[in-house]
Amino acid sequence: MTLSLLPRPDAREGRDRLEILTALISAPSFDPLFRGDIITIPAGHPVYRWNCLASGCGRPARSGDLCDGHERLWRKRRGEGGPRAGFLQAPPPAGGPGAGTEEHPCRICPERAALHLALRLCQHHLGRWDRYRARHGDDAGFSEWLAGQQPAPGFGCCRVRVCPELAHSPLGLCKRHGVLYRSQGRPGGAALPGEWALRYEKAGKAVPVRYADEPEFRRWCAAAAPAARPGQVNLRGLHPLVRAEFQWCMASGAAVRTGREGLACLQRLAEYARVRALGSLTELSAEDAGLAAETGRQGPQAVRMITGRLALLYVTPEQAREEGYILAGHFGRELPRRSGRTDLSGISQRWLRDLVWDYMAGLLRSPGCPRTAGPFDDMRRAGLELSAFLGLRAPGGGHDPRALTAGHMHQFAADQRQREHDGLVSLGVTGRHGEPSVVTAVTRQAVFNCTRRLLRGALESGEAGRLGLDRGFITSMPAHGPLVTRSRPPFTDEVARALADEENLRKLARDHDPSGNGTREAWETIIATGRRCGEVLNLRLDCLGRYGGLPMLWHDQSKVGNYDEAVRIPDRVWQALKARQRKTLALFQSRNNRPPTADERAAMALFPSPARNRDCSRPLTDTWFHGHFRAWVADLDTGRQVPHQARHTMATSLLRAGATLSHVRRYLGHVSERMSERYIHLAHSDLEDVL
């Protein structure tokens, strides 16, 4: 098995971990729903909802968030053009109750399980009722028949070690395990005599069980998996630490994102851990091929989330530093769309790796911690590049910092420039999927800048002196130098008209956003206000308001730290965004079969992501929007354009209309000095106005 984030704990370490989790699970704030060894999720749970979304339906969801019956009815209704919200509020009947989350006893004999869920009768009494109804026909009264019935003795509990259900017959297996036993070829040959109910049970005699190999049957009962039930996760047979890890992770929402598929994945993951007798879930690796094969495509994702959250409990920052990685959660930080774990183990020189770790820890502790993972990625790249170079060129692989001189730094800088010039691959950095990473002007600049900042910071803190680093080695790291970039100009008149044309906008919505996620409304807002793409996509649902009769848009300029900024918008854009609000509320209604609460509405995004986003709180990503925009522009054949050019166009238009540069800066929320000069040049040129 591939090694995971944490090694298998020894006995003492396992006891310490179990004590930590036991204390957390015993806390009053811990949800008691997750304390048992069989976790039964009620219908309509906000995180692990497993039941059909239709009102009054208790059947498990099979396809999407509807049961099989309601899914068939909805497909027919959708073909007729009916709204989904109305269908969910008043659904037509779709059959019986289906399989529940737990076993129900017979209403007559509580020691036997009900076979018919609607009547709640065991097999014995269901047969008696069928015979009674056959004799009396339409005159058969269920209440009168029920009053004359006597309870029958049960068969005890299912002999499968992890099964909590009642045995279905003298064989000692519940209904589900009886089916499983026959499907697996009846190991041990356990069997009942023919017509045992008439020959033995009716006569009050014990029913004998014949075995071809009884020990084999007992081994099968000890090893058989629990019978799957919707809304239930069976943790019996697991190591106590593994069981506690499941309980804590499920209660904290760290185990899986949401829904029925998540519960099924967790059950498969629990069985995977039980069969392999794991002592901790941290022994699992998301890269293990066997894990994905046995738990499904969600299994590796669940393992990453679980082990990442458990690492915050089991590992101290000092231990993480020793192992060669840093966890943002140790510092109370979260990096957007990242696991929070930055791997530094590729930096082979311990002194260099510790410098990088300490620098990142300082960033995470600082009040001005970066909003994104970019600065951390750049520093990691710089550390990997310098480490790989020193491993090849420095004495002893660069492990002794006292042996490094200014010449080694000069050679490193020259090597980076040469790789940039020739388009060669990096020495120590690979892409996300292991492909070679080519050194470009941008990556070379980041490496120079971060290496210089890292080493000079060590010099100022005195760490360089403690390590014995030569001052010449530090000061020889050159500055990154000017980076020649060509920012895209504002849209030309022809391109601006094409990107704002009504027919082309309809094409954007029809051909490139058929699901109606709001690509057109987002683009119209960008060109009308000049906001950054991320500022528009991250709009909250309640971002509109009229003040003094004027329509205003409230947004966050997070890049420059301005929150709840208001900007005037045209009535046309106002109406489009109001329509988008109604669509988002209808989407929430269709996903949850109820309107949002006040707190849920405050957290909702105006442009919610369509994937695993039941509460509509996660907005569309820049990558998603740019992909659709790029495909649309390619269809229009206007050349290569990017959404940010709309911002340049707005700034230039404002300057040409007489606005001062300070007004433009305030309206757009910061303009770089380089772009300011460019805007002024365009505004005073003889070019025609744009937009």
Side-chain angles (χ1 to χ4, degrees):
M1 182 181 295
T2 308
L3 291 178
S4 62
L5 177 65
L6 298 173
R8 182 184 180 95
D10 56 26
R12 180 175 180 178
E13 187 177 7
R15 288 194 299 271
D16 292 342
R17 293 181 180 183
L18 184 57
E19 288 180 4
I20 294 173
L21 289 173
T22 302
L24 291 172
I25 294 171
S26 302
S29 59
F30 189 86
D31 190 344
L33 177 67
F34 300 97
R35 283 187 176 138
D37 56 359
I38 297 179
I39 299 175
T40 302
I41 306 296
H45 192 272
V47 177
Y48 300 105
R49 187 184 68 202
W50 56 269
N51 58 299
C52 178
L53 188 59
S55 298
C57 182
R59 297 170 66 89
R62 298 293 184 188
S63 176
D65 51 9
L66 296 175
C67 64
D68 291 338
H70 280 109
E71 180 65 24
R72 289 192 297 270
L73 293 171
W74 165 238
R75 288 176 182 174
K76 180 180 179 181
R77 178 72 63 85
R78 183 173 55 187
E80 299 171 353
R84 190 171 191 264
F87 170 81
L88 295 176
Q89 287 294 329
T101 59
E102 55 188 4
E103 183 182 51
H104 295 282
C106 174
R107 68 169 69 208
I108 300 173
C109 39
E111 295 181 357
R112 294 196 182 190
L115 184 66
H116 194 290
L117 295 182
L119 297 177
R120 284 191 58 193
L121 294 177
C122 62
Q123 185 177 21
H124 171 70
H125 285 102
L126 183 62
R128 293 177 65 89
W129 163 245
D130 289 340
R131 290 190 294 272
Y132 179 84
R133 188 173 53 180
R135 290 195 306 268
H136 294 80
D138 296 337
D139 296 332
F142 184 75
S143 299
E144 292 78 4
W145 171 84
L146 190 64
Q149 300 304 305
Q150 297 297 323
F155 305 110
C157 295
C158 181
R159 297 177 67 178
V160 173
R161 186 178 63 175
V162 297
C163 183
E165 301 189 2
L166 297 173
H168 180 66
S169 70
L171 191 64
L173 298 178
C174 65
K175 180 70 174 179
R176 293 166 180 250
H177 279 111
V179 174
L180 180 65
Y181 181 66
R182 291 190 295 271
S183 68
Q184 294 185 357
R186 308 177 67 89
L192 297 174
E195 298 182 349
W196 57 268
L198 295 176
R199 296 170 54 191
Y200 294 93
E201 187 179 36
K202 192 173 182 179
K205 299 179 181 179
V207 181
V209 180
R210 297 191 297 268
Y211 300 96
D213 186 351
E214 186 175 357
E216 178 65 20
F217 174 72
R218 294 182 181 275
R219 283 192 293 271
W220 182 88
C221 291
R229 279 192 175 271
Q232 189 179 92
V233 179
N234 190 324
L235 304 179
R236 289 188 174 181
L238 296 178
H239 188 282
L241 177 58
V242 176
R243 182 170 60 249
E245 289 171 342
F246 266 107
Q247 293 167 339
W248 183 77
C249 287
M250 287 188 67
S252 64
V256 74
R257 287 188 182 274
T258 184
R260 171 186 57 83
E261 294 182 1
L263 288 178
C265 172
L266 289 176
Q267 184 60 71
R268 292 192 296 268
L269 189 60
E271 181 60 18
Y272 186 86
R274 187 181 70 87
V275 170
R276 286 156 181 77
L278 296 184
S280 172
L281 289 177
T282 57
E283 298 176 35
L284 295 174
S285 171
E287 287 71 33
D288 188 357
L291 175 69
E294 297 191 30
T295 62
R297 59 184 180 86
Q298 281 194 332
Q301 180 187 18
V303 167
R304 291 188 188 95
M305 298 177 70
I306 289 173
T307 55
R309 186 63 67 92
L310 290 175
L312 297 178
L313 292 178
Y314 295 162
V315 182
T316 65
E318 292 74 19
Q319 290 173 328
R321 186 175 186 264
E322 184 72 21
E323 294 294 329
Y325 60 90
I326 188 168
L327 298 174
H330 278 153
F331 306 90
R333 303 286 188 180
E334 289 187 4
L335 301 178
R337 301 185 182 91
R338 293 293 184 89
S339 65
R341 181 180 186 269
T342 303
D343 184 17
L344 304 176
S345 59
I347 304 176
S348 58
Q349 295 81 9
R350 178 60 189 268
W351 65 270
L352 179 58
R353 189 176 74 196
D354 288 347
L355 285 181
V356 174
W357 195 97
D358 292 339
Y359 176 85
M360 290 185 176
L363 282 183
L364 292 168
R365 292 188 180 106
S366 69
C369 179
R371 297 178 298 109
T372 66
F376 299 94
D377 292 341
D378 290 343
M379 182 56 70
R380 178 178 179 271
R381 171 182 281 272
L384 290 172
E385 292 280 20
L386 181 59
S387 174
F389 178 83
L390 294 178
L392 294 173
R393 301 288 184 87
H399 291 280
D400 185 1
R402 295 170 296 180
L404 303 177
T405 64
H408 296 114
M409 187 58 73
H410 289 311
Q411 293 174 17
F412 172 66
D415 179 77
Q416 284 290 302
R417 291 193 182 100
Q418 188 66 41
R419 291 179 182 277
E420 173 197 347
H421 181 270
D422 296 339
L424 301 177
V425 298
S426 167
L427 282 174
V429 181
T430 57
R432 180 178 299 178
H433 302 291
E435 70 276 7
S437 177
V438 178
V439 177
T440 65
V442 174
T443 62
R444 191 268 307 164
Q445 182 190 46
V447 168
F448 276 32
N449 191 30
C450 291
T451 304
R452 184 181 174 90
R453 186 182 302 123
L454 177 71
L455 295 179
R456 288 180 179 261
L459 185 64
E460 293 174 0
S461 66
E463 187 65 17
R466 188 189 67 81
L467 293 172
L469 273 175
D470 180 52
R471 187 181 182 88
F473 176 79
I474 297 174
T475 58
S476 296
M477 182 69 237
H480 57 75
L483 182 63
V484 179
T485 58
R486 292 178 174 84
S487 299
R488 292 190 175 273
F491 294 132
T492 63
D493 291 350
E494 295 78 6
V495 171
R497 281 192 290 268
L499 297 181
D501 180 73
E502 179 63 26
E503 180 59 33
N504 290 337
L505 291 174
R506 282 198 292 267
K507 183 177 181 179
L508 171 62
R510 182 183 64 249
D511 299 343
H512 299 281
D513 189 15
S515 300
N517 293 306
T519 307
R520 171 177 175 170
E521 292 91 334
W523 172 238
E524 288 187 278
T525 306
I526 290 173
I527 60 177
T529 63
R531 300 301 98 183
R532 299 177 179 90
C533 181
E535 293 173 355
V536 172
L537 296 180
N538 290 318
L539 288 173
R540 296 288 95 191
L541 180 71
D542 296 324
C543 62
L544 300 174
R546 283 189 178 271
Y547 301 88
L550 301 177
M552 306 291 287
L553 176 71
W554 292 87
H555 65 287
D556 294 338
Q557 297 172 349
S558 55
K559 184 174 182 179
V560 290
N562 297 331
Y563 294 92
D564 269 348
E565 289 287 316
V567 61
R568 170 83 180 275
I569 57 176
D571 282 323
R572 181 173 180 273
V573 176
W574 165 273
Q575 296 299 334
L577 294 182
K578 289 295 287 186
R580 172 50 51 183
Q581 277 185 335
R582 293 190 290 271
K583 291 178 182 178
T584 301
L585 288 171
L587 178 64
F588 184 97
Q589 180 85 22
S590 68
R591 289 179 176 176
N592 298 275
N593 197 16
R594 60 175 178 82
T597 64
D599 291 340
E600 289 173 332
R601 183 182 176 109
M604 288 172 62
L606 182 62
F607 302 103
S609 170
R612 291 191 297 272
N613 193 23
R614 182 188 301 165
D615 57 0
C616 297
S617 62
R618 288 189 297 108
L620 296 173
T621 64
D622 287 5
T623 303
W624 188 95
F625 178 81
H626 279 84
H628 289 71
F629 182 86
R630 193 181 305 115
W632 176 55
V633 169
D635 286 349
L636 298 181
D637 196 22
T638 60
R640 187 178 179 186
Q641 313 294 334
V642 296
H644 199 72
Q645 288 176 261
R647 185 173 172 84
H648 299 169
T649 304
M650 174 63 72
T652 307
S653 299
L654 291 173
L655 288 171
R656 293 291 301 276
T660 65
L661 189 59
S662 62
H663 289 138
V664 175
R665 285 177 179 272
R666 182 176 179 181
Y667 177 77
L668 294 181
H670 174 72
V671 179
S672 67
E673 294 295 337
R674 181 170 55 85
M675 291 308 301
S676 299
E677 297 175 359
R678 188 170 191 179
Y679 294 155
I680 294 173
H681 172 73
L682 288 173
H684 293 85
S685 66
D686 294 331
L687 297 175
E688 295 181 356
D689 290 345
V690 290
L691 281 186

